[in-house]
Amino acid sequence: MGQPNMNIVSAYGGTMEIDAAKSRIRIGGHEVAFHCDKFNTRIIKGLEDVVGVKDAAKLLIESSEQAAYGMFTDFFQGDTKAAFDALAPEDKMATLIEIGKMLGYGAVTVNSVSDAGGDFTSPSSYLAEGWLENMNRWNWKLRDNPACYDMSGYLAAALAYSYGKEPGTYKVLEGNCRAKGDDVCTFKAEVK
Amino acid sequence: MPIDADQIREAVAGLGLVGDKDSGILRRFGVILANNSVDFLVGREIDFINFLGAKAQNLAEKVLIDAAQWCANATFGGIMASEEWGGLIEPQIESIHDRFAGLVAITNCLGWGKITEFSLDEANEKVEFTVEHSYYVDAWKKKIGDADRPVCYMWTGVAGGYADLLFKGDVHSHVGIETTCAAQSGKVCKFVGEPHSKKYDLR
């Protein structure tokens, strides 16, 4: 499997700018904000309650993918882009997954990856962890469906960026999910 | 003792706001944080509103505000119960006004925009605050253009959530309202959190 380029990951972390006068944050030249699992899981629940699981998933995954792709595009400029472009696609993917960890999205293991898609496992996707905590706090139940829409979108964007494709190229489906009671979250990606 | 917002900001920044190197999970202040793209945070809300269409706009907005109010309760409630709060902020608190100032200082570390003015009316269980550089404004204008209504849904829920927490009410015992929004015009967004009027709640 690929190896992350930790120089690039470290450089990414070094780009965090906190504008105290505006209380705004940029990392990798991209506007970001801290939110908690409570907000993001409540958004999921709210959308699913109104439009149903299928359409909520589509909305959230597509929005996550577009935004993540924009984050990569904003960061990889000039010398940084040259360094990234020199990596093998598997290493690019591993590097982007490390960047996702830095952002607090959780850990991902790449089981297989190619330009046709891939299989991924996450023992700690933040939305699933948040959902599990909500079971104690708000008496939520285990889900019937996966919860990690943000991660699905992020992986779709990372695949597209690593293999030089446009966003929207890959469909990422989560199968097992810790929020369903599974041990780990699993994701399968394929070209649409 | 006045709340030292600069000290709090520096201390929060010093906590290292990145995911754990192994799990990728960022636990701080008793909650799991993630560093989300603003394009995602605002984009998903716009996509949701557009998906439902104009006739259901009010419903969509209520869902988004509701999520933020629950979040405010859990997040800021968790923050106020956390070790970080206990060590850093609680010693500076002598009144409910100080507690609000502490919440504002923490909020201003999250990248949401800056609360520049805030006040609290204890007798009427009401909070008011002004936000400059709300992250909604640029993102909304980039994707949609000028807004035809207040659109800082997350902040609106937070206004109600602040009031719920500070006045020790249940979640949704107070309601948030955005009275001025820079996505429409001007440079500031203004919010009120006040008791929910059940008697005339016909919305």
Side-chain angles (χ1 to χ4, degrees):
Chain A
M1 285 301 102
Q3 292 296 316
N5 182 311
M6 294 310 289
N7 289 332
I8 290 175
V9 175
S10 177
Y12 183 76
T15 63
M16 185 180 285
E17 308 165 58
I18 300 174
D19 184 340
K22 296 181 178 178
S23 291
R24 297 280 290 268
I25 302 170
R26 296 174 75 83
I27 187 165
H30 190 90
E31 198 83 41
V32 294
F34 287 102
H35 272 290
C36 71
D37 59 300
K38 302 291 177 283
F39 181 53
N40 287 317
T41 52
R42 277 277 170 187
I43 287 281
I44 290 174
K45 193 170 190 312
L47 266 63
E48 288 181 341
D49 286 348
V50 174
V51 303
V53 170
K54 183 180 172 188
D55 286 328
K58 184 172 187 297
L59 282 172
L60 290 168
I61 291 171
E62 287 181 359
S63 190
S64 170
E65 180 185 4
Q66 290 288 339
Y69 198 93
M71 293 176 86
F72 304 149
T73 305
D74 286 344
F75 174 54
F76 291 110
Q77 301 283 331
D79 291 346
T80 310
K81 184 169 192 321
F84 187 78
D85 286 345
L87 302 176
E90 298 81 11
D91 295 341
K92 291 179 179 177
M93 193 70 197
T95 301
L96 296 179
I97 285 172
E98 282 298 315
I99 285 175
K101 282 169 67 178
M102 182 175 281
L103 294 167
Y105 300 164
V108 174
T109 299
V110 180
N111 303 314
S112 67
V113 67
S114 72
D115 64 353
D119 284 290
F120 310 91
T121 303
S122 174
S124 53
S125 169
Y126 89 99
L127 285 177
E129 300 311 302
W131 193 279
L132 293 173
E133 290 194 2
N134 293 347
M135 291 174 63
N136 292 326
R137 186 180 188 92
W138 290 321
N139 203 27
W140 285 13
K141 308 297 182 199
L142 284 175
R143 290 174 59 85
D144 295 327
N145 302 285
C148 304
Y149 304 136
D150 297 17
M151 182 65 86
S152 295
Y154 188 85
L155 289 172
L159 268 169
Y161 200 79
S162 295
Y163 286 94
K165 312 288 188 186
E166 293 297 314
T169 299
Y170 295 96
K171 177 173 68 178
V172 177
L173 290 178
E174 186 179 11
N176 293 349
C177 180
R178 282 173 51 74
K180 290 167 50 184
D182 298 313
D183 290 340
V184 295
C185 302
T186 60
F187 302 86
K188 182 175 179 59
E190 57 189 26
V191 175
K192 284 181 180 172
Chain B
M1 181 191 298
I3 296 293
D4 187 339
D6 289 340
Q7 180 200 28
I8 291 169
R9 188 184 65 249
E10 288 172 16
V12 170
L15 291 173
L17 295 176
V18 296
D20 178 79
K21 66 181 177 58
D22 295 320
S23 69
I25 296 295
L26 173 52
R27 287 185 189 274
R28 296 288 185 277
F29 291 104
V31 295
I32 301 173
L33 293 172
N35 207 342
N36 295 121
S37 162
V38 166
D39 288 343
F40 173 53
L41 294 167
V42 180
R44 68 185 179 185
E45 297 188 1
I46 291 172
D47 291 346
F48 175 54
I49 292 167
N50 288 343
F51 181 87
L52 284 180
K55 287 183 179 175
Q57 179 180 302
N58 189 254
L59 169 64
E61 292 175 339
K62 277 183 176 294
V63 167
L64 299 173
I65 292 168
D66 174 75
Q69 189 154 349
W70 278 100
C71 157
N73 182 277
T75 303
F76 292 117
I79 284 172
M80 288 195 292
S82 69
E83 287 182 18
E84 292 94 331
W85 178 281
L88 190 63
I89 301 172
E90 192 66 38
Q92 302 181 36
I93 291 176
E94 294 178 351
S95 68
I96 191 172
H97 298 272
D98 292 344
R99 191 166 299 280
F100 190 22
L103 285 176
V104 167
I106 290 290
T107 306
N108 279 345
C109 296
L110 299 175
W112 299 356
K114 186 160 195 168
I115 298 178
T116 54
E117 296 177 8
F118 57 96
S119 64
L120 178 149
D121 176 350
E122 196 168 359
N124 291 302
E125 296 197 0
K126 183 175 180 180
V127 297
E128 295 182 78
F129 59 92
T130 299
V131 176
E132 295 183 20
H133 312 291
S134 162
Y135 71 52
Y136 277 88
V137 176
D138 295 340
W140 190 281
K141 288 188 173 186
K142 185 168 79 175
K143 192 156 183 172
I144 302 286
D146 286 346
D148 59 2
R149 61 194 186 279
V151 296
C152 299
Y153 306 116
M154 181 275 293
W155 278 115
T156 305
V158 166
Y162 277 160
D164 287 343
L165 277 170
L166 289 165
F167 303 114
K168 303 190 186 311
D170 295 331
V171 179
H172 289 303
S173 56
H174 298 76
V175 62
I177 303 162
E178 185 174 18
T179 57
T180 301
C181 183
Q184 290 180 277
S185 64
K187 293 185 179 301
V188 301
C189 304
K190 292 178 178 287
F191 301 88
V192 174
E194 60 188 8
H196 209 299
S197 173
K198 292 187 173 66
K199 186 175 180 182
Y200 297 110
D201 184 20
L202 303 176
R203 289 167 298 162

